[in-house]
Amino acid sequence: MKNVVKCVNSDSRLSRKVAPGWELISVNEHPVKDVLDYKFYTYEARLKLKFLRPDGKEKTVRVRKAEGEDLGLDFEDYLMDAPRSCANNCVFCFIDQNPPGMRKTIYFKDDDARLSFLMGCYITLTNLSDREIERIIALKISPVNISVHTTDPELRCSMLKNKFAGRCYDIMRRLASAGIVMNCQIVSCPGINDGEAILRTLRDLKALFPAVHSISVVPLGLTAHRQGLPELHPYTRETAGELLDRVNAFGDECVKELGTRLVFCSDEFYLKSERELPPDSFYEEHTQLENGVGMLRLLEKEFLMALDYSDPPVINEFSIATGEAAYPLIKKLAEALKNKYPVSWRT
């Protein structure tokens, strides 16, 4: 039973009215199947909650609250349902490249529309039924984060190794017509979905603006654990620069036509091509920050701002651990700190 109450917050309006172990059945006569139903139907100010107690008896609880106020119930399972797993076998999948011997959850591939809305996860749309699409529309679940990769149906089926992958753009048009906002992601693979293919994808997604709110382009990630997987190659300084030029030129057109850049390349492309990061204003709302888009520039801005208002450190020697890609920026920030305060550091 996924709808079983785990605990009731002490400041909840349901404190002393609902007890752990009770199963939530419905809200205002609407059956609650999962967390989306729960959050959607409990948004109202007046609620009629029906529970099933451990003794088998039903209990109806009425509550008045502010519209949108959380009820303060925690459930045994956050989703109140089993998580949806990925039905794809993407050629670039990072989970397939994890080393053996780690905890089981590391190898679980989620592709759950509910987590897209609630946690910002990206979904591929390949495991959604028509009924689930209609539910997204009916519940006004927005924004939805979508891993597009390409709008070419044949190429998408090939990249995701899923015969249903070619439906993506049709589903997106359906969502757009219903007013559902979408943030999109393109994992770019050299020689596969970049070049002219990415321009087709960008044009198709641009056609869905403003429902398509933002697009990020990120490079594929490769590890040493690719035994039995398709042969792929990383971006080089030259190919990363070519992709940047192509995508940013398209973004410039969008600024003129739409008033927004719409598409952004992740910081990795600038680092790989050894180019200067754009100014902070380039990234507009930082909508794609979680995809590594504008993350380094925002870090620099916030660090220098905090440094201006900072007090002298209580110690004058410290260590910072960082990866190779971010090292030049971290070194630059450390130098700014050293110029203001007599701290000691070495690389």
Side-chain angles (χ1 to χ4, degrees):
M1 295 183 296
K2 304 295 182 178
N3 295 3
V4 175
V5 176
K6 181 179 179 181
C7 66
V8 184
N9 296 343
S10 58
D11 58 350
S12 168
R13 295 182 185 272
L14 296 178
S15 180
R16 299 180 183 177
K17 295 182 179 179
V18 176
W22 290 19
E23 180 185 357
L24 179 61
I25 300 173
S26 65
V27 176
N28 290 346
E29 305 300 336
H30 297 286
V32 175
K33 299 178 181 178
D34 60 19
V35 65
L36 290 187
D37 286 336
Y38 172 71
K39 288 186 175 293
F40 184 82
Y41 294 123
T42 60
Y43 190 87
E44 301 296 328
R46 295 187 178 189
L47 302 176
K48 175 185 175 183
L49 309 170
K50 186 179 291 185
F51 293 90
L52 180 65
R53 302 191 316 192
D55 61 9
K57 295 181 180 180
E58 290 189 357
K59 174 70 174 180
T60 298
V61 178
R62 298 180 185 273
V63 62
R64 291 188 182 186
K65 63 179 185 59
E67 194 174 71
E69 179 185 343
D70 186 73
L71 281 178
L73 297 180
D74 289 330
F75 295 87
E76 294 286 351
D77 189 293
Y78 174 74
L79 286 176
M80 303 166 72
D81 190 19
R84 298 290 302 275
S85 62
C86 181
N88 311 313
N89 190 24
C90 299
V91 295
F92 54 81
C93 180
F94 68 92
I95 293 180
D96 289 339
Q97 302 179 74
N98 280 326
M102 298 190 293
R103 67 180 185 275
K104 187 177 180 180
T105 52
I106 291 292
Y107 307 104
F108 179 75
K109 303 179 184 181
D110 68 86
D111 196 4
D112 199 310
R114 297 164 300 187
L115 291 176
S116 178
F117 174 64
L118 296 169
M119 301 290 190
C121 302
Y122 279 77
I123 58 174
T124 64
L125 306 179
T126 58
N127 62 0
L128 285 181
S129 66
D130 284 342
R131 183 177 180 181
E132 288 169 317
I133 295 169
E134 285 301 321
R135 184 172 178 239
I136 290 174
I137 294 171
L139 297 185
K140 300 178 177 61
I141 297 172
S142 185
V144 174
N145 299 321
I146 302 174
S147 289
V148 177
H149 310 316
T150 178
T151 53
D152 181 329
E154 185 176 345
L155 178 57
R156 196 167 193 266
C157 288
S158 174
M159 291 186 69
L160 274 61
K161 304 299 179 185
N162 186 314
K163 64 181 180 180
F164 300 111
R167 300 191 310 147
C168 176
Y169 193 64
D170 290 336
I171 295 174
M172 291 183 67
R173 281 190 294 201
R174 191 170 164 186
L175 295 176
S177 65
I180 303 300
V181 175
M182 293 165 280
N183 295 308
C184 302
Q185 175 195 67
I186 299 171
V187 175
S188 189
C189 303
I192 299 178
N193 64 329
D194 56 359
E196 288 302 315
I198 202 170
L199 289 180
R200 168 181 172 168
T201 299
L202 294 177
R203 286 192 292 265
D204 286 343
L205 296 179
K206 176 187 172 186
L208 297 182
F209 178 84
V212 167
H213 179 65
S214 70
I215 309 163
S216 65
V217 182
V218 304
L220 78 168
L222 302 176
T223 77
H225 304 276
R226 290 194 56 84
Q227 294 77 13
L229 298 176
E231 183 178 357
L232 297 174
H233 302 283
Y235 274 95
T236 64
R237 180 177 180 273
E238 291 73 23
T239 56
E242 291 171 2
L243 184 133
L244 268 180
D245 291 339
R246 184 174 286 110
V247 172
N248 285 345
F250 187 91
D252 291 340
E253 294 176 9
C254 290
V255 171
K256 295 177 182 178
E257 297 177 25
L258 308 177
T260 176
R261 182 160 293 278
L262 190 62
V263 59
F264 307 85
C265 286
S266 69
D267 295 356
E268 295 149 289
F269 278 111
Y270 292 92
L271 298 177
K272 192 70 177 180
S273 60
E274 299 177 11
R275 296 190 184 183
E276 183 71 16
L277 291 166
D280 184 68
S281 59
F282 177 91
Y283 297 103
E284 300 177 3
E285 301 172 333
H286 283 281
T287 304
Q288 294 276 358
L289 186 66
E290 296 299 322
N291 258 335
V293 176
M295 185 175 288
L296 292 180
R297 185 60 81 196
L298 183 62
L299 170 65
E300 178 183 31
K301 175 186 174 181
E302 292 181 341
F303 179 90
L304 296 178
M305 185 182 300
L307 186 60
D308 285 341
Y309 294 96
S310 64
D311 296 321
V314 295
I315 57 174
N316 61 8
E317 184 172 353
F318 60 92
S319 299
I320 301 175
T322 182
E324 291 184 13
Y327 171 75
L329 176 64
I330 299 301
K331 182 180 179 182
K332 178 182 177 181
L333 300 183
E335 289 172 344
L337 178 63
K338 183 179 180 182
N339 289 335
K340 184 170 182 178
Y341 301 116
V343 296
S344 174
W345 61 279
R346 63 179 183 273
T347 60

